[in-house]
Amino acid sequence: MSVLNINAIRDDFPILHQQINGQPLVYLDNAATSQKPKQVIDAVSDFYQQDNANIHRGVHQLSQRATDAYEGARDKVRQFLNAASDKEIIFTRGATEAVNLVAQSFLRPKLQAGDEILISYLEHHANIVPWQMLCEQTGAKLNVIPMTQSGELDLSDLDNLLTSRTKMLAIGHVSNALGTINPVKAITAKARAKAIPVLIDGAQAVPHMAVDVTDIDCDFYVLSGHKMFAPTGIGALYGRETLLAAMPPYQGGGDMILSVSFEQTIYNELPYKFEAGTPHIAGAIGLGAAIEYMWSIGLDNIAAQEHHLLQLATDKIRALPGVEIIGTSANKAAVLSFMIEGVHPHDVGTIFDQDGVAIRTGHHCAQPVMAFYDIPATARASFAFYNNEAEVEALIRAILKTQELFS
Amino acid sequence: MSDLRDLYQQVIMDHNKNPRNFREIDDANHLAHGNNPLCGDKLVVYLKLEDEKIIDVSFTGSGCAISKASASLMTEALKGKTVTEADAIYQQVHKVMTGESSDRDLLGKLEVLSGVKDFPARVKCATLSWHTAHAAMDSDHDISITTE
């Protein structure tokens, strides 16, 4: 039984209370994007209605309020990740931009032809393509940690994959396609023992569990707001202060300067050096509100509720003939990828939608994972803490209906 | 709301399970690869043209029930037709599936595909094979087309 009052929590999410095709919405596509609580929607709305102004520039009161709210949100992100300083938190458009920032600003100046970047088979495209682009630009080589049939990283050869030429290890905390939680702390320790910097893509981890970058001891950690109950278009990069301080700016203009003449520009201090232009102020405030909201629920409670739903759904699906779960790691976040025998996932998605059950079908921007299993796509149900047992039942009913239609 | 049964009619389900002309044509003189990167659907359409007439047409690949059935129905509809006739059918199917035309009667047996227009997310599944066949007819070398 859950320690949370799920009905009360669901009241915080206005979008959940609607019908789709005449059926109550069952939203199980949280890994793609999460829904937003009133607290976040109100924070964004209140900002525009009461405090809207540009930050760090104006001497007037609205600008001060906007600046305080924006910087307050930064401090919440710092606390949320347990970073040492607000200087280590850079607001970005999302996890993808944060990866690109590290690739281009941190790594590119250090990289030479023949150097290596190590990623894993489980990555989604945002933690593959920026590194691939960097390899094309520099002549470096992309290496890949293999995976096992259960959807876990095969770390047996990690020591050999971390070579003297490895200049970066970039790895996902949680697989978006399979839900696998990677042992990032142990992996980071191995890389750091060889002085190899580590970036962790936490976009799929932060909505589900408490994350402590100091404990993990990684150099960079990236997250997306929209997957953790905050607006789209906002995310954050955590970076070790000494590394960020030594990095050149990623983009030019706006707040990232101290002074500009046509002869020379002096860059601003951290973290503003990396926040060119007017940032997504309302988005950052929304992200801060989302963090407050998650704290009010309790990160451990969130993890417990999602684990309960995942376990329940997994047990029920395992009992169904003709349904196979893809990704069976013992340590998973609330993501359930599956195949219904004889039915393409896209047909599954359409049939589910007729019953109001929203799931993702496709390759989940993780085509190498699909290639590993030799499948074009999977159907993926992904849970948030606001999902309930009745919605697991609706998922099972939708599977049975699909099987009946295709029988 | 449109019924699921409009989309997944018996004819569609039958063509999905037993796709017609699901094979390679060894001496095909027109060929195109179709790819929907959003779905991961991939297929190849083979055509054998003689004197502007489609002597044989087939397809291989993988996809959902809608894309497979559509490809299967397409091969049946195009076989024996002249390139001009095939082009006219392509245009008509495309218009009906995208909701540009409501004259379903013109489609004959292909009318079963018209249900897809009520499922906008699935239109690309149904049109992939047709776009690919169209591309194959237009070219005498192997080309790739992509829909997304």
Side-chain angles (χ1 to χ4, degrees), chain A residues 21 342 344-352 354 361-363 367 376-377 401 404-407, chain B residues 1-5 7-8 13 16-17 37-41 62-66 119 122 125:
Chain A
N21 296 324
H344 191 282
H346 288 110
D347 297 312
V348 174
T350 297
I351 296 161
F352 277 36
Q354 287 302 294
T361 58
H363 52 59
Q367 285 182 320
K401 179 178 173 177
E404 188 197 333
L405 195 68
F406 271 74
S407 65
Chain B
M1 190 57 219
S2 48
D3 192 283
L4 213 47
R5 298 272 172 194
L7 185 63
Y8 293 104
M13 298 306 246
N16 173 46
K17 265 190 187 162
L38 206 64
C39 303
D41 285 358
S62 67
C64 61
I66 305 301
F119 295 82
R122 306 302 300 279
C125 307

Short mmCIF file of all heavy atoms in Angstrom, two decimals, chain A residues 21 342 344-352 354 361-363 367 376-377 401 404-407, chain B residues 1-5 7-8 13 16-17 37-41 62-66 119 122 125:
data_model
loop_
_atom_site.label_atom_id
_atom_site.label_comp_id
_atom_site.label_asym_id
_atom_site.label_seq_id
_atom_site.Cartn_x
_atom_site.Cartn_y
_atom_site.Cartn_z
N ASN A 21 -11.42 10.01 -25.93
CA ASN A 21 -12.26 9.06 -26.64
C ASN A 21 -13.33 8.44 -25.73
O ASN A 21 -13.61 7.25 -25.78
CB ASN A 21 -11.42 7.95 -27.29
CG ASN A 21 -10.49 8.52 -28.35
OD1 ASN A 21 -10.87 9.45 -29.06
ND2 ASN A 21 -9.29 7.99 -28.44
N GLY A 342 2.76 -10.62 -32.28
CA GLY A 342 1.96 -10.50 -33.50
C GLY A 342 1.34 -9.13 -33.72
O GLY A 342 0.59 -8.94 -34.68
N HIS A 344 2.23 -5.01 -34.02
CA HIS A 344 3.25 -3.97 -34.06
C HIS A 344 2.94 -2.91 -33.00
O HIS A 344 1.78 -2.56 -32.79
CB HIS A 344 3.27 -3.34 -35.45
CG HIS A 344 4.44 -2.45 -35.69
ND1 HIS A 344 4.51 -1.17 -35.19
CD2 HIS A 344 5.60 -2.65 -36.37
CE1 HIS A 344 5.66 -0.63 -35.57
NE2 HIS A 344 6.34 -1.51 -36.28
N PRO A 345 3.97 -2.39 -32.33
CA PRO A 345 3.72 -1.40 -31.27
C PRO A 345 2.86 -0.20 -31.71
O PRO A 345 2.12 0.35 -30.90
CB PRO A 345 5.13 -0.95 -30.89
CG PRO A 345 5.98 -2.14 -31.17
CD PRO A 345 5.39 -2.78 -32.39
N HIS A 346 2.96 0.20 -32.96
CA HIS A 346 2.14 1.34 -33.37
C HIS A 346 0.66 1.02 -33.38
O HIS A 346 -0.18 1.87 -33.11
CB HIS A 346 2.60 1.87 -34.72
CG HIS A 346 3.90 2.57 -34.62
ND1 HIS A 346 5.05 2.08 -35.14
CD2 HIS A 346 4.23 3.72 -33.99
CE1 HIS A 346 6.05 2.88 -34.86
NE2 HIS A 346 5.59 3.88 -34.15
N ASP A 347 0.34 -0.21 -33.73
CA ASP A 347 -1.07 -0.62 -33.64
C ASP A 347 -1.48 -0.66 -32.17
O ASP A 347 -2.59 -0.27 -31.82
CB ASP A 347 -1.25 -1.99 -34.31
CG ASP A 347 -0.94 -1.94 -35.80
OD1 ASP A 347 -1.44 -1.03 -36.48
OD2 ASP A 347 -0.17 -2.79 -36.28
N VAL A 348 -0.58 -1.13 -31.32
CA VAL A 348 -0.85 -1.15 -29.88
C VAL A 348 -1.19 0.27 -29.40
O VAL A 348 -2.19 0.49 -28.70
CB VAL A 348 0.37 -1.69 -29.09
CG1 VAL A 348 0.15 -1.58 -27.59
CG2 VAL A 348 0.66 -3.14 -29.48
N GLY A 349 -0.39 1.23 -29.82
CA GLY A 349 -0.58 2.62 -29.37
C GLY A 349 -1.93 3.18 -29.78
O GLY A 349 -2.60 3.85 -28.99
N THR A 350 -2.34 2.89 -31.01
CA THR A 350 -3.64 3.39 -31.49
C THR A 350 -4.79 2.74 -30.72
O THR A 350 -5.75 3.42 -30.34
CB THR A 350 -3.78 3.09 -33.00
OG1 THR A 350 -2.76 3.81 -33.69
CG2 THR A 350 -5.14 3.53 -33.52
N ILE A 351 -4.70 1.46 -30.50
CA ILE A 351 -5.79 0.75 -29.81
C ILE A 351 -5.88 1.22 -28.36
O ILE A 351 -6.98 1.48 -27.84
CB ILE A 351 -5.56 -0.78 -29.89
CG1 ILE A 351 -5.61 -1.23 -31.36
CG2 ILE A 351 -6.59 -1.53 -29.06
CD1 ILE A 351 -4.98 -2.56 -31.63
N PHE A 352 -4.74 1.38 -27.72
CA PHE A 352 -4.73 1.89 -26.34
C PHE A 352 -5.37 3.29 -26.28
O PHE A 352 -6.12 3.61 -25.37
CB PHE A 352 -3.29 1.99 -25.82
CG PHE A 352 -2.73 0.70 -25.29
CD1 PHE A 352 -3.05 -0.52 -25.87
CD2 PHE A 352 -1.86 0.70 -24.21
CE1 PHE A 352 -2.53 -1.69 -25.38
CE2 PHE A 352 -1.33 -0.48 -23.70
CZ PHE A 352 -1.66 -1.67 -24.29
N GLN A 354 -7.63 4.55 -28.02
CA GLN A 354 -9.10 4.50 -28.10
C GLN A 354 -9.72 4.28 -26.73
O GLN A 354 -10.87 4.63 -26.50
CB GLN A 354 -9.54 3.39 -29.06
CG GLN A 354 -9.32 3.73 -30.51
CD GLN A 354 -10.04 5.00 -30.93
OE1 GLN A 354 -11.27 5.05 -30.94
NE2 GLN A 354 -9.30 6.05 -31.26
N THR A 361 4.85 4.61 -28.23
CA THR A 361 5.27 3.48 -29.06
C THR A 361 6.30 4.00 -30.04
O THR A 361 6.16 5.10 -30.55
CB THR A 361 4.08 2.88 -29.85
OG1 THR A 361 3.51 3.90 -30.67
CG2 THR A 361 3.04 2.32 -28.91
N GLY A 362 7.33 3.24 -30.25
CA GLY A 362 8.37 3.67 -31.19
C GLY A 362 9.73 3.26 -30.69
O GLY A 362 9.84 2.35 -29.84
N HIS A 363 10.74 3.94 -31.17
CA HIS A 363 12.10 3.55 -30.78
C HIS A 363 12.61 4.38 -29.60
O HIS A 363 13.71 4.18 -29.14
CB HIS A 363 13.06 3.60 -31.96
CG HIS A 363 13.05 4.89 -32.72
ND1 HIS A 363 13.35 6.09 -32.14
CD2 HIS A 363 12.76 5.17 -34.02
CE1 HIS A 363 13.27 7.05 -33.05
NE2 HIS A 363 12.89 6.52 -34.20
N GLN A 367 17.57 4.16 -30.78
CA GLN A 367 17.57 3.16 -31.84
C GLN A 367 18.61 2.05 -31.63
O GLN A 367 18.33 0.90 -31.97
CB GLN A 367 17.73 3.83 -33.21
CG GLN A 367 16.42 4.50 -33.65
CD GLN A 367 16.48 5.14 -35.02
OE1 GLN A 367 17.49 5.74 -35.38
NE2 GLN A 367 15.41 5.03 -35.77
N PRO A 376 11.86 -3.14 -34.19
CA PRO A 376 11.81 -1.76 -34.68
C PRO A 376 11.36 -0.77 -33.61
O PRO A 376 11.66 0.42 -33.66
CB PRO A 376 10.77 -1.81 -35.80
CG PRO A 376 9.89 -2.97 -35.45
CD PRO A 376 10.75 -3.95 -34.70
N ALA A 377 10.65 -1.28 -32.62
CA ALA A 377 9.99 -0.38 -31.67
C ALA A 377 9.47 -1.21 -30.51
O ALA A 377 9.43 -2.44 -30.58
CB ALA A 377 8.82 0.33 -32.35
N LYS A 401 -7.53 -6.23 -24.83
CA LYS A 401 -8.36 -5.79 -25.95
C LYS A 401 -7.57 -5.85 -27.26
O LYS A 401 -8.08 -6.28 -28.30
CB LYS A 401 -8.85 -4.36 -25.70
CG LYS A 401 -9.70 -3.81 -26.82
CD LYS A 401 -10.19 -2.42 -26.50
CE LYS A 401 -10.91 -1.82 -27.70
NZ LYS A 401 -11.47 -0.51 -27.40
N GLU A 404 -7.27 -9.37 -28.36
CA GLU A 404 -8.54 -9.87 -28.88
C GLU A 404 -8.75 -9.38 -30.31
O GLU A 404 -9.15 -10.14 -31.20
CB GLU A 404 -9.68 -9.39 -27.97
CG GLU A 404 -11.02 -10.00 -28.29
CD GLU A 404 -12.16 -9.21 -27.67
OE1 GLU A 404 -11.92 -8.55 -26.64
OE2 GLU A 404 -13.26 -9.23 -28.24
N LEU A 405 -8.47 -8.10 -30.53
CA LEU A 405 -8.67 -7.50 -31.85
C LEU A 405 -7.77 -8.16 -32.88
O LEU A 405 -8.14 -8.33 -34.04
CB LEU A 405 -8.36 -6.00 -31.77
CG LEU A 405 -8.85 -5.14 -32.92
CD1 LEU A 405 -10.37 -5.05 -32.94
CD2 LEU A 405 -8.27 -3.74 -32.82
N PHE A 406 -6.58 -8.55 -32.47
CA PHE A 406 -5.63 -9.14 -33.42
C PHE A 406 -5.64 -10.67 -33.41
O PHE A 406 -4.81 -11.29 -34.06
CB PHE A 406 -4.21 -8.63 -33.13
CG PHE A 406 -3.89 -7.36 -33.86
CD1 PHE A 406 -4.43 -6.16 -33.46
CD2 PHE A 406 -3.06 -7.36 -34.98
CE1 PHE A 406 -4.15 -4.98 -34.13
CE2 PHE A 406 -2.77 -6.19 -35.67
CZ PHE A 406 -3.32 -5.00 -35.24
N SER A 407 -6.55 -11.24 -32.67
CA SER A 407 -6.56 -12.72 -32.58
C SER A 407 -7.08 -13.34 -33.86
O SER A 407 -7.85 -12.74 -34.57
CB SER A 407 -7.41 -13.16 -31.41
OG SER A 407 -8.74 -12.80 -31.63
N MET B 1 -17.02 9.67 -32.39
CA MET B 1 -15.62 9.22 -32.56
C MET B 1 -15.59 7.99 -33.46
O MET B 1 -16.43 7.12 -33.40
CB MET B 1 -15.05 8.90 -31.18
CG MET B 1 -13.56 8.66 -31.19
SD MET B 1 -12.65 10.05 -31.88
CE MET B 1 -11.40 9.19 -32.80
N SER B 2 -14.60 7.97 -34.31
CA SER B 2 -14.49 6.85 -35.22
C SER B 2 -14.19 5.57 -34.45
O SER B 2 -13.48 5.58 -33.45
CB SER B 2 -13.37 7.13 -36.21
OG SER B 2 -12.25 7.57 -35.50
N ASP B 3 -14.73 4.50 -34.97
CA ASP B 3 -14.56 3.23 -34.28
C ASP B 3 -13.25 2.58 -34.72
O ASP B 3 -12.84 2.70 -35.88
CB ASP B 3 -15.74 2.32 -34.61
CG ASP B 3 -15.76 1.12 -33.71
OD1 ASP B 3 -14.95 0.20 -33.95
OD2 ASP B 3 -16.56 1.09 -32.76
N LEU B 4 -12.64 1.92 -33.77
CA LEU B 4 -11.42 1.20 -34.06
C LEU B 4 -11.62 0.18 -35.18
O LEU B 4 -10.73 -0.11 -35.97
CB LEU B 4 -10.98 0.50 -32.78
CG LEU B 4 -9.51 0.34 -32.49
CD1 LEU B 4 -8.74 1.62 -32.73
CD2 LEU B 4 -9.33 -0.13 -31.06
N ARG B 5 -12.84 -0.36 -35.23
CA ARG B 5 -13.13 -1.38 -36.26
C ARG B 5 -13.10 -0.79 -37.66
O ARG B 5 -12.93 -1.51 -38.64
CB ARG B 5 -14.50 -2.01 -35.99
CG ARG B 5 -14.59 -2.73 -34.67
CD ARG B 5 -14.14 -4.19 -34.78
NE ARG B 5 -14.07 -4.79 -33.45
CZ ARG B 5 -13.46 -5.93 -33.19
NH1 ARG B 5 -12.86 -6.60 -34.15
NH2 ARG B 5 -13.43 -6.42 -31.97
N LEU B 7 -10.86 1.21 -38.64
CA LEU B 7 -9.44 1.19 -39.00
C LEU B 7 -8.97 -0.25 -39.21
O LEU B 7 -8.35 -0.58 -40.20
CB LEU B 7 -8.61 1.86 -37.90
CG LEU B 7 -7.12 2.02 -38.16
CD1 LEU B 7 -6.87 2.93 -39.37
CD2 LEU B 7 -6.42 2.61 -36.95
N TYR B 8 -9.26 -1.05 -38.20
CA TYR B 8 -8.78 -2.44 -38.26
C TYR B 8 -9.87 -3.36 -38.80
O TYR B 8 -10.34 -4.25 -38.11
CB TYR B 8 -8.30 -2.89 -36.88
CG TYR B 8 -7.07 -2.16 -36.43
CD1 TYR B 8 -7.14 -1.16 -35.48
CD2 TYR B 8 -5.84 -2.46 -36.98
CE1 TYR B 8 -6.00 -0.47 -35.07
CE2 TYR B 8 -4.69 -1.78 -36.58
CZ TYR B 8 -4.78 -0.79 -35.63
OH TYR B 8 -3.65 -0.11 -35.24
N MET B 13 -6.88 -6.65 -41.52
CA MET B 13 -6.27 -7.69 -40.67
C MET B 13 -5.80 -8.87 -41.52
O MET B 13 -4.75 -9.45 -41.26
CB MET B 13 -7.27 -8.16 -39.62
CG MET B 13 -7.70 -7.05 -38.68
SD MET B 13 -6.31 -6.23 -37.92
CE MET B 13 -6.54 -6.70 -36.24
N ASN B 16 -2.68 -7.91 -43.32
CA ASN B 16 -1.58 -7.82 -42.35
C ASN B 16 -1.00 -9.20 -42.08
O ASN B 16 0.21 -9.40 -42.07
CB ASN B 16 -2.08 -7.18 -41.06
CG ASN B 16 -1.03 -7.22 -39.95
OD1 ASN B 16 0.13 -6.90 -40.18
ND2 ASN B 16 -1.44 -7.62 -38.77
N LYS B 17 -1.92 -10.15 -41.89
CA LYS B 17 -1.47 -11.52 -41.56
C LYS B 17 -0.90 -12.22 -42.78
O LYS B 17 0.07 -12.97 -42.68
CB LYS B 17 -2.65 -12.32 -41.02
CG LYS B 17 -2.72 -12.30 -39.51
CD LYS B 17 -3.74 -13.31 -39.02
CE LYS B 17 -3.94 -13.16 -37.52
NZ LYS B 17 -5.17 -13.78 -37.06
N PRO B 37 11.37 7.32 -40.23
CA PRO B 37 12.29 7.31 -39.09
C PRO B 37 11.57 7.44 -37.75
O PRO B 37 12.07 6.99 -36.72
CB PRO B 37 13.20 8.51 -39.34
CG PRO B 37 12.50 9.36 -40.33
CD PRO B 37 11.57 8.48 -41.11
N LEU B 38 10.41 8.04 -37.78
CA LEU B 38 9.65 8.21 -36.54
C LEU B 38 9.19 6.87 -36.00
O LEU B 38 9.16 6.65 -34.79
CB LEU B 38 8.44 9.11 -36.84
CG LEU B 38 7.89 9.90 -35.69
CD1 LEU B 38 8.90 10.90 -35.19
CD2 LEU B 38 6.61 10.61 -36.13
N CYS B 39 8.82 5.98 -36.90
CA CYS B 39 8.31 4.67 -36.50
C CYS B 39 9.41 3.61 -36.51
O CYS B 39 9.30 2.60 -35.85
CB CYS B 39 7.25 4.16 -37.47
SG CYS B 39 5.88 5.23 -37.71
N GLY B 40 10.41 3.82 -37.35
CA GLY B 40 11.36 2.75 -37.61
C GLY B 40 10.88 1.81 -38.70
O GLY B 40 11.48 0.78 -38.96
N ASP B 41 9.75 2.18 -39.34
CA ASP B 41 9.22 1.32 -40.42
C ASP B 41 10.12 1.44 -41.65
O ASP B 41 10.51 2.53 -42.04
CB ASP B 41 7.81 1.76 -40.82
CG ASP B 41 6.79 1.34 -39.78
OD1 ASP B 41 7.18 0.69 -38.79
OD2 ASP B 41 5.60 1.66 -39.97
N SER B 62 9.24 -4.34 -42.85
CA SER B 62 8.48 -4.54 -41.62
C SER B 62 7.74 -3.26 -41.27
O SER B 62 8.16 -2.16 -41.62
CB SER B 62 9.43 -4.90 -40.47
OG SER B 62 10.25 -3.80 -40.17
N GLY B 63 6.65 -3.43 -40.59
CA GLY B 63 5.86 -2.28 -40.19
C GLY B 63 4.63 -2.71 -39.44
O GLY B 63 4.44 -3.90 -39.16
N CYS B 64 3.79 -1.76 -39.13
CA CYS B 64 2.57 -2.07 -38.39
C CYS B 64 1.52 -2.67 -39.31
O CYS B 64 1.73 -2.79 -40.51
CB CYS B 64 2.04 -0.79 -37.75
SG CYS B 64 1.61 0.46 -38.97
N ALA B 65 0.40 -3.05 -38.76
CA ALA B 65 -0.68 -3.68 -39.53
C ALA B 65 -1.15 -2.76 -40.65
O ALA B 65 -1.41 -3.20 -41.77
CB ALA B 65 -1.84 -4.03 -38.60
N ILE B 66 -1.24 -1.48 -40.34
CA ILE B 66 -1.75 -0.53 -41.33
C ILE B 66 -0.79 -0.40 -42.50
O ILE B 66 -1.18 -0.42 -43.66
CB ILE B 66 -1.96 0.87 -40.67
CG1 ILE B 66 -2.88 0.76 -39.44
CG2 ILE B 66 -2.52 1.87 -41.67
CD1 ILE B 66 -4.24 0.21 -39.71
N PHE B 119 -7.57 8.73 -38.20
CA PHE B 119 -6.49 8.50 -37.23
C PHE B 119 -5.24 9.21 -37.77
O PHE B 119 -4.34 8.57 -38.32
CB PHE B 119 -6.24 7.01 -37.06
CG PHE B 119 -7.39 6.27 -36.45
CD1 PHE B 119 -8.47 5.86 -37.23
CD2 PHE B 119 -7.41 5.99 -35.09
CE1 PHE B 119 -9.54 5.20 -36.66
CE2 PHE B 119 -8.48 5.33 -34.52
CZ PHE B 119 -9.55 4.94 -35.31
N ARG B 122 -1.77 7.96 -37.88
CA ARG B 122 -1.46 6.74 -38.61
C ARG B 122 -1.44 6.92 -40.13
O ARG B 122 -1.22 5.94 -40.86
CB ARG B 122 -2.46 5.64 -38.23
CG ARG B 122 -2.56 5.39 -36.74
CD ARG B 122 -1.21 5.02 -36.12
NE ARG B 122 -0.65 3.81 -36.71
CZ ARG B 122 -1.02 2.59 -36.34
NH1 ARG B 122 -1.91 2.44 -35.38
NH2 ARG B 122 -0.50 1.53 -36.91
N CYS B 125 1.69 5.85 -41.81
CA CYS B 125 1.87 4.39 -41.89
C CYS B 125 1.25 3.88 -43.19
O CYS B 125 1.81 3.03 -43.88
CB CYS B 125 1.18 3.70 -40.72
SG CYS B 125 1.65 4.32 -39.10
#
